[in-house]
Amino acid sequence: MDLSLDPRLDNLRRMVGWLGKEKLRPLGLEADAQGAPLPPDHPFFKESLKMGLTGGFVGKARGDDEARDPKRPRKRVRKAVVMADEAAYWDRGMATSLPGPGLGGAPVAMMGTEDQKRRFLTRFEDTSTPRWSGFAMSEPGAGSDVAAISTRARRDGDHWVVDGEKAFCSNGARASFVVVWATVDPGLGRGGHRAFVVERDNPGMRVARIDKKMGLAASETAALVFEGCRVPAEDMLGGEAAYQRDEGFKGAMRTFNMTRPMVAAMAVGMGRAALDETRRFVDERFGAASAHRRMRAMDRMAAMRRRLDSARLLAWRAAWLADEQRDNAVESAMSKAYAAQGALEAASLGMDVLGEAGAASDLLIEKLWRDVKALDIVEGTGQIQRLLIARRLVGYGAEEKGA
Ligand SMILES: Cc1cc2nc3c(=O)[nH]c(=O)nc-3n(C[C@H](O)[C@H](O)[C@H](O)COP(=O)(O)OP(=O)(O)OC[C@H]3O[C@@H](n4cnc5c(N)ncnc54)[C@H](O)[C@@H]3O)c2cc1C
């Protein structure tokens, strides 16, 4: 496993760093103050595309893998974790709201037929118009326990008809398409799950609301309703072959294995930001008279830095395995569980060290503390990751998201 950043990737990371400082952080603070995401027609989104910065990491949709020089190592997921770490350092909510194939693009790249990849992913190559996609798995009654999803898909001629409700769909209200998980037969549990690509202009899909959240205001999450939503049969991900292999649930889990290292990397970025903010405060406020407080804070911060560095290595290992197309279910769960906890602790440490100043809403640490909790929730909570790890390592059973 190569731990070096090649010069091209390092340049890209620096560019994200520059953009983060100039745009992501100030715009994230603006969204936080307003308690709402930036509107999809905000000029920043066009600007970010012009600079080659996109959300998601499916690369060029057409022939990405075919055109690859087989002698050069595949680095898609590794590149994505480096970018995610840097972008989330500046603002995680803004990082997830960047236009691009995003969360919905990942399952299309993973499970889609060549025709589906062409139809749904090539649109993101046109960088004149910002586009997003969504991933709709969670429901009001089914979060961790994905086997319980009740959104139904029934076959009707050459269409599927989807009915149900989805919760917390990131970028769901602005998505060009949403990948919706539904059951074709509730009696089959996870074996009945299939994924359908629903286009934005489908009259059977509507946005019920955009959620108000304690943190990550810049990142839109939407509740979606599907009523008699007719989806062409050719838009079931993976096509007829995937239907026969009951690919829906397995495909979702394979997608999480690819995206969880990114969530882990984002957590590392946020944890780093919390430590830097704490360090700044300590340098400014703890002079010679508070040398002992300074020493204690520094010691705790050094311990946190070690933890975040370990978390980054776990994320890189999980990403490397994904790029090598090797099983990384345990490694990606480990990276996500460990990094999210690390980031939570880093933000809490910052709040402790800053004391009452930390609770004042004009300091970044308070926003980071509110933002960071979601990292332990999205794409399977910390508890579920730990169940998954336990199940794989010691054979302890679990049925929930990803396990
Ligand atoms: C900011 C944000 C963005 C999101 N974006 C998306 C998105 O784009 N698409 C999408 O589909 N979903 C999205 N989600 C939803 C997210 O995936 C769910 O919130 C998550 O899976 C947890 O589900 P839940 O909220 O229903 O909690 P529940 O499943 O009800 O869990 C509640 C608590 O019980 C614990 N728990 C549950 N089962 C067990 C068990 N067996 N053992 C031990 N503890 C258990 C959980 O860990 C959690 O602490 C998003 C959520 C947030 C906060």
Side-chain angles (χ1 to χ4, degrees):
M1 184 177 146
D2 180 4
L3 294 179
S4 62
L5 288 190
D6 66 52
R8 219 175 131 249
L9 185 53
D10 200 34
N11 274 341
L12 214 58
R13 186 186 61 80
R14 283 170 206 270
M15 199 265 283
V16 173
W18 176 83
L19 193 85
K21 188 172 180 192
E22 296 298 316
K23 300 282 182 179
L24 298 182
R25 179 144 315 152
L27 289 171
L29 287 166
E30 186 183 316
D32 189 60
Q34 287 171 1
L38 304 183
D41 60 356
H42 192 287
F44 167 70
F45 294 127
K46 267 195 172 178
E47 226 176 286
S48 70
L49 284 178
K50 267 198 211 120
M51 297 184 70
L53 196 67
T54 56
F57 53 98
V58 292
K60 289 220 181 303
R62 254 173 321 183
D64 193 31
D65 288 339
E66 295 78 357
R68 206 171 59 84
D69 175 353
K71 290 197 206 86
R72 286 181 56 210
R74 185 197 300 256
K75 286 191 175 172
R76 266 188 320 184
V77 188
R78 264 174 290 180
K79 178 178 159 193
V81 295
V82 171
M83 296 301 123
D85 184 334
E86 189 62 27
Y89 175 89
W90 296 103
D91 196 89
R92 196 277 185 177
M94 284 303 298
T96 8
S97 71
L98 290 171
L103 267 178
V108 177
M110 202 81 181
M111 305 161 63
T113 61
E114 287 310 309
D115 169 61
Q116 289 169 340
K117 288 183 202 173
R118 244 185 313 275
R119 284 190 293 119
F120 300 120
L121 298 181
T122 47
R123 64 184 70 175
F124 295 101
E125 291 171 19
D126 164 17
T127 52
S128 61
T129 311
R131 290 185 179 82
W132 293 262
S133 72
F135 178 106
M137 165 87 81
S138 305
E139 297 182 0
S144 303
D145 183 9
V146 284
I149 61 170
S150 62
T151 296
R152 231 8 245 283
R154 295 182 183 78
R155 188 72 188 237
D156 180 19
D158 52 5
H159 281 74
W160 287 91
V161 182
V162 178
D163 287 283
E165 278 179 50
K166 293 290 177 183
F168 269 103
C169 180
S170 298
N171 293 322
R174 60 188 64 193
S176 163
F177 65 78
V178 177
V179 176
V180 181
W181 263 265
T183 174
V184 294
D185 181 350
L188 294 176
R190 310 192 301 197
H193 293 190
R194 300 291 183 275
F196 301 87
V197 184
V198 180
E199 294 275 12
R200 172 188 188 79
D201 56 5
N202 190 314
M205 173 172 77
R206 72 180 161 83
V207 177
R209 74 170 179 278
I210 294 179
D211 302 297
K212 286 253 175 232
K213 303 190 290 300
M214 66 180 263
L216 298 180
S219 173
E220 172 190 279
T221 48
L224 304 174
V225 175
F226 300 85
E227 283 162 333
C229 179
R230 295 182 69 79
V231 183
E234 62 266 25
D235 292 354
M236 192 186 78
L237 271 191
E240 203 56 40
Y243 180 81
Q244 301 301 344
R245 287 197 308 267
D246 69 43
E247 272 288 274
F249 179 80
K250 287 180 246 164
M253 296 309 122
R254 287 209 320 270
T255 306
F256 285 139
N257 292 344
M258 194 163 73
T259 53
R260 279 175 185 154
M262 264 177 83
V263 179
M266 287 185 173
V268 172
M270 295 173 86
R272 289 191 299 116
L275 287 186
D276 284 357
E277 185 67 4
T278 311
R279 173 71 199 255
R280 202 172 58 78
F281 181 87
V282 167
D283 287 347
E284 275 172 17
R285 306 279 177 100
F286 295 175
S290 334
H292 62 288
R293 285 182 71 189
R294 183 184 170 83
M295 184 69 86
R296 266 215 322 266
M298 289 301 197
D299 189 47
R300 291 174 72 193
M301 284 194 288
M304 274 317 307
R305 182 67 76 178
R306 293 196 293 277
R307 175 153 191 184
L308 292 175
D309 267 11
S310 318
R312 180 184 273 165
L313 286 174
L314 287 177
W316 282 21
R317 177 179 69 168
W320 177 76
L321 287 169
D323 280 334
E324 295 287 308
Q325 299 195 308
R326 285 163 56 182
D327 179 22
N328 71 342
V330 170
E331 291 80 1
S332 65
M334 280 183 179
S335 71
K336 204 231 156 214
Y338 191 71
Q341 279 295 320
L344 273 165
E345 282 175 29
S348 291
L349 170 63
M351 292 289 276
D352 286 353
V353 172
L354 270 65
E356 62 194 21
S361 59
D362 56 342
L363 288 182
L364 181 67
I365 195 76
E366 182 266 349
K367 174 176 178 295
L368 276 166
W369 191 76
R370 283 186 287 111
D371 283 355
V372 84
K373 178 60 192 167
L375 276 286
D376 197 45
I377 298 175
V378 297
E379 302 202 19
T381 63
Q383 285 94 340
I384 297 304
Q385 305 308 311
R386 288 186 283 278
L387 282 176
L388 186 157
I389 297 162
R391 179 184 170 184
R392 287 287 189 105
L393 294 186
V394 294
Y396 178 73
E399 293 299 313
E400 290 77 10
K401 190 174 258 174

